[in-house]
Amino acid sequence: MNKRFAKKASSIREDKIKLYVLNDDVLNMVKHAKAIGSSPSYYINDAIQLFNCAVKDIDLPDFSYDEKSLIANCLCGSEISDNFIHLLDVEVSDLIADGYKYFNDEENGFTESHKNFIAKIHNLNYMQRVKLIHIIQSEIRYV
């Protein structure tokens, strides 16, 4: 099993069902914390705090709602791996080539708006792409 895919586990305690969705990295962190008698929440808090520090001062160009929607469609069902992040512009390009209909001028193929959008992603560095994916995932989860 790929370590980045989330696994679902549930437990029943005192007639209450708790559902956990964790990937192997998080499961290993929880096991390690429990093995040394520490709370996994400290590790999770540290990881989130470090991530937020890492991306807080990273600037991104503006992305329209339609552009974010296209990227969100690439994220749905995809494993967010190192390779996926590096090839995000290719993923979006493939989605447009497959006939995604968010742009009104789709019948003309790759228009200037498509090319500019793909170039905008292509010109992002790795951490900018990470921040962009994080922002879009956050927007998807809370809609």
Side-chain angles (χ1 to χ4, degrees):
M1 171 142 242
N2 192 305
K3 71 178 187 171
R4 288 185 174 78
F5 280 117
K7 297 177 181 177
K8 292 183 180 178
S10 61
S11 63
I12 300 174
R13 292 185 185 166
E14 298 176 19
D15 296 327
K16 293 181 182 179
I17 298 174
K18 293 184 178 182
L19 181 64
Y20 304 96
V21 181
L22 307 171
N23 66 28
D24 283 352
D25 292 330
V26 177
L27 288 172
N28 289 335
M29 182 216 48
V30 169
K31 287 178 188 174
H32 174 72
K34 288 181 177 180
I36 63 169
S38 182
S39 171
S41 64
Y42 290 117
Y43 286 85
I44 293 169
N45 288 331
D46 287 348
I48 291 169
Q49 186 177 21
L50 287 170
F51 176 80
N52 287 333
C53 287
V55 298
K56 101 176 156 178
D57 290 330
I58 294 174
D59 292 325
L60 290 174
D62 289 331
F63 286 89
S64 70
Y65 176 82
D66 287 343
E67 291 172 336
K68 287 180 181 179
S69 296
L70 272 169
I71 297 168
N73 273 280
C74 290
L75 297 175
C76 291
S78 296
E79 173 192 357
I80 309 302
S81 65
D82 187 49
N83 196 42
F84 181 88
I85 294 167
H86 279 292
L87 298 174
L88 182 60
D89 55 324
V90 176
E91 293 284 339
V92 171
S93 180
D94 287 348
L95 186 64
I96 293 169
D98 288 344
Y100 197 77
K101 304 291 184 190
Y102 259 74
F103 291 95
N104 293 330
D105 48 12
E106 180 63 38
E107 64 273 2
N108 298 325
F110 283 94
T111 62
E112 284 305 309
S113 63
H114 293 133
K115 291 175 186 175
N116 291 337
F117 172 46
I118 294 165
K120 193 182 332 182
I121 297 170
H122 179 76
N123 290 328
L124 298 176
N125 66 36
Y126 187 84
M127 285 304 294
Q128 286 175 308
R129 291 173 187 223
V130 168
K131 184 172 183 173
L132 177 62
I133 290 169
H134 173 66
I135 288 169
I136 292 171
Q137 284 181 328
S138 297
E139 290 175 2
I140 291 170
R141 287 192 179 113
Y142 300 111
V143 171

